[in-house]
Amino acid sequence: MSRTRKIEKANVPKILISEVGYNGLSISAGQINEEMKRELQFPTSIITYKQMSYDSMISAALNYYEQMMLKSRFTFKSHALATEEQKQYAEFMEECINDMEHSWQDFIQEVSSMNTYGFCVNEIVLRKRLKSKGSKYNDGKVGIHKLPIRSQDSIAKWVYDEDQNLIGVTQSVAKTGKRGQVLLSQKGDDVTIPRQKFLLFRLGKKKDSPLGESPLRGCYYSWKYKTAVEDLENIGMSRDLSGIPIAKVPPQIMASDASPELQQQYEQIKNIVRNIHNNNQAGIVWPLAYDENSKQPMYEFSLLKNDGGKSYDTKSIKEYYCNAILTALSADVLLLGQSSTGSYALGNMKGTMTAIAIEYKLKEICNVINQHLIPLIAKYNDWDLTRLPCIVAEDLEAASLEEVSKFIQRTGAVGFLPRTPEVVNKVLDTLGLEPIKENTDLDDILTSSVSRSGEGMSEGLSDGIGTSTAEDDNSSTNLDNNA
């Protein structure tokens, strides 16, 4: 006789389960007003970050991020409690990302733009898997057609409801540039994409802002000051002068009540001082006139020189700001080898810190796909929503073969490395080799599992636990054996 247990509804006051407060995000007419600097306020920030991305140091860091993200391998894994039928969900998702109009790498490359702007919007375009619709499959299930980016400079505003929940994003159909407005869409109206229909990737989610936080924000001032120093250097090189241009003129032409002719002459002299540099303005036509009383020149052009030399070193200043920029971007590993200082241990640590920063970005991609895209596909294909697959990023850093070989040697020597196909395949995968075939006899392909790395130290000669060695025994100098 079966028994059914009646589940009673909990009588919980509504005030305890409903949301009362808000996250404090400042929103006005679809714009996020959190930044104090105008250059970093959206949408002006898009122009600022794009301009910053042209800098050689910042561009190198962004390219490094992108290449490392493209290098990583994404795989779908089944739920830990998945049934045999539910394990096919992961295979289905693998088929979906390989059945898109564009490649998965193209998608990751577009998403990596969040390293510049702090966020990335990709629209979800689904389709039935039918060959008549361009799919490789013909099972009629709902798959992914494409995941196109909606560029950051086309975003006009964010759409919120009265409870400050993000419900959509609006794209502008026109972009204003130097040549006027450029039409981005033939639809004629601004396009609003519902929240359910786009993926939102963000770096930094303070106050749940859809803009995220661009990594370039932390190095804005360093970039600004470095650019100012470079501008001064360019001015100096173009002028090729060793001082500040000075023009001495009669005071009457500087008077506010001077005649139009004298005022025009004054403006011409000021333009000469401003524009003098070593090309088409290298020569000056200067009036030769003398004062009747003092017999001194009325007009004189000279350079104000610093005979004591420069009080600053622009090269050192630029190096300082370059270091600050790459440190803010967690990419100062790019500086290793460019100076005479440093060590292997320091390089290894910096590489690890950079890997952590990139791993954070990859986790954001995986989290958005796991929380939004996979449940959406599951909903349209009537899957069990409690046991969905997930996507994970692997192979961010190449394993050191030296460290792997040491680990295998040391664990194998004490019998802690089981001789199983799973272990063998893991080692082969780490080395970049193909896995062994099923039902392969390990004794046919592996050498003896007995390690002799501990022999030589003796309480007599060779029992491995001695405190003295024979004269011709060099095993005690092997640091790996003594580890």
Side-chain angles (χ1 to χ4, degrees):
M1 181 177 179
S2 62
R3 297 182 179 179
T4 57
R5 185 176 61 180
K6 184 178 180 181
I7 301 178
E8 297 181 356
K9 294 183 178 179
N11 187 18
V12 182
K14 185 177 181 180
I15 190 65
L16 296 181
I17 59 176
S18 62
E19 187 174 4
V20 178
Y22 67 99
N23 56 27
L25 184 65
S26 178
I27 308 170
S28 176
Q31 302 297 332
I32 311 299
N33 302 315
E34 290 290 331
E35 286 289 349
M36 298 181 64
K37 291 288 295 180
R38 181 180 178 276
E39 295 88 345
L40 301 180
Q41 291 177 357
F42 182 84
T44 309
S45 60
I46 301 301
I47 300 175
T48 302
Y49 293 143
K50 183 180 290 187
Q51 186 178 2
M52 292 177 67
S53 68
Y54 295 152
D55 182 88
S56 58
M57 276 294 171
I58 295 178
S59 177
L62 294 176
N63 287 334
Y64 179 69
Y65 280 150
E66 181 178 316
Q67 295 304 318
M68 291 297 291
M69 292 172 68
L70 291 173
K71 175 186 173 184
S72 182
R73 182 176 62 184
F74 292 84
T75 57
F76 288 91
K77 293 187 176 182
S78 302
H79 191 277
L81 302 177
T83 63
E84 288 300 322
E85 180 182 356
Q86 292 166 348
K87 288 181 180 179
Q88 297 178 2
Y89 296 167
E91 298 177 6
F92 182 85
M93 292 304 304
E94 289 280 359
E95 293 175 354
C96 284
I97 65 172
N98 292 317
D99 189 37
M100 295 190 294
E101 187 179 89
H102 52 79
S103 68
W104 178 257
Q105 274 208 329
D106 291 340
F107 167 68
I108 296 298
Q109 193 168 20
E110 295 283 16
V111 174
S112 67
S113 62
M114 67 179 176
N115 295 325
T116 302
Y117 303 106
F119 73 98
C120 182
V121 174
N122 292 73
E123 186 174 349
I124 303 172
V125 183
L126 304 179
R127 69 177 172 189
K128 284 190 175 183
R129 303 207 311 176
L130 298 172
K131 291 186 177 180
S132 61
K133 295 185 178 295
S135 175
K136 299 177 183 177
Y137 306 93
N138 205 34
D139 53 16
K141 296 180 180 179
V142 177
I144 305 173
H145 184 197
K146 54 184 177 179
L147 300 171
I149 188 175
R150 299 301 174 235
S151 60
Q152 289 84 354
D153 55 2
S154 70
I155 303 298
K157 64 179 181 179
W158 304 92
V159 184
Y160 282 83
D161 61 14
E162 57 184 10
D163 295 325
Q164 283 199 339
N165 296 315
L166 181 65
I167 60 174
V169 63
T170 299
Q171 278 189 289
S172 176
V173 299
K175 180 180 178 182
T176 303
K178 293 181 179 180
R179 299 181 180 178
Q181 284 195 336
V182 180
L183 194 64
L184 303 178
S185 172
Q186 300 298 328
K187 296 182 179 181
D189 296 315
D190 288 350
V191 180
T192 298
I193 308 173
R195 179 65 185 94
Q196 188 70 7
K197 195 168 169 33
F198 67 86
L199 300 174
L200 177 59
F201 301 93
R202 298 175 281 177
L203 296 178
K205 301 179 181 179
K206 295 179 180 178
K207 299 183 181 180
D208 198 27
S209 171
L211 298 176
E213 184 174 305
S214 170
L216 303 189
R217 178 179 180 272
C219 59
Y220 169 72
Y221 284 107
S222 297
W223 166 79
K224 185 177 181 180
Y225 298 146
K226 171 177 169 288
T227 303
V229 174
E230 291 173 340
D231 290 341
L232 291 175
E233 283 186 328
N234 292 332
I235 292 173
M237 287 188 294
S238 65
R239 291 189 176 208
D240 195 22
L241 302 174
S242 58
I244 301 174
I246 295 179
K248 297 179 181 180
V249 297
Q252 55 267 26
I253 75 171
M254 302 174 62
S256 58
D257 57 349
S259 65
E261 292 79 8
L262 292 179
Q263 290 180 0
Q264 182 180 4
Q265 185 185 84
Y266 181 44
E267 291 298 324
Q268 290 176 344
I269 293 175
K270 287 196 297 182
N271 286 334
I272 291 175
V273 173
R274 279 195 297 261
N275 298 327
I276 181 67
H277 51 279
N278 191 23
N279 48 38
N280 60 340
Q281 291 289 336
I284 303 176
V285 178
W286 202 250
L288 181 62
Y290 293 90
D291 183 83
E292 295 180 356
N293 299 322
S294 64
K295 306 301 180 181
Q296 296 295 323
M298 297 176 60
Y299 298 87
E300 184 177 349
F301 180 85
S302 62
L303 296 173
L304 179 62
K305 298 182 179 181
N306 181 8
D307 296 333
K310 293 182 178 179
S311 59
Y312 54 86
D313 181 3
T314 56
K315 180 180 178 181
S316 299
I317 295 174
K318 289 193 299 181
E319 287 180 353
Y320 169 79
Y321 286 125
C322 285
N323 289 338
I325 289 172
L326 293 180
T327 300
L329 295 175
S330 299
D332 48 337
V333 66
L334 297 176
L335 293 174
L336 294 178
Q338 298 188 27
S339 63
S340 58
T341 60
S343 65
Y344 172 79
L346 178 62
N348 188 39
M349 181 183 68
K350 285 183 176 293
T352 302
M353 294 297 294
T354 304
I356 291 174
I358 299 174
E359 183 180 8
Y360 161 68
K361 305 171 191 299
L362 294 174
K363 283 184 177 180
E364 169 63 14
I365 296 176
C366 293
N367 289 338
V368 172
I369 293 175
N370 290 332
Q371 296 173 8
H372 193 153
L373 182 60
I374 294 179
L376 189 64
I377 296 293
K379 175 183 176 182
Y380 285 111
N381 289 294
D382 295 326
W383 291 356
D384 182 359
L385 300 181
T386 62
R387 296 182 180 180
L388 297 179
C390 65
I391 190 172
V392 294
E394 300 175 339
D395 292 347
L396 177 59
E397 283 189 306
S400 169
L401 297 184
E402 181 180 1
E403 298 299 326
V404 171
S405 62
K406 287 181 180 181
F407 172 79
I408 295 174
Q409 177 191 17
R410 292 169 181 174
T411 54
V414 294
F416 281 172
L417 196 63
R419 289 165 56 90
T420 62
E422 292 76 15
V423 172
V424 174
N425 285 334
K426 181 62 178 177
V427 174
L428 293 176
D429 182 65
T430 303
L431 300 177
L433 302 176
E434 293 293 329
I436 61 175
K437 297 180 180 179
E438 293 185 7
N439 302 323
T440 300
D441 190 347
L442 298 183
D443 292 332
D444 294 339
I445 62 173
L446 298 181
T447 58
S448 173
S449 61
V450 178
S451 172
R452 303 184 63 190
S453 62
E455 293 184 4
M457 295 293 291
S458 65
E459 186 76 31
L461 271 178
S462 59
D463 60 3
I465 57 174
T467 57
S468 62
T469 64
E471 293 181 358
D472 57 349
D473 184 5
N474 295 321
S475 64
S476 61
T477 62
N478 187 336
L479 298 180
D480 290 336
N481 289 345
N482 292 328

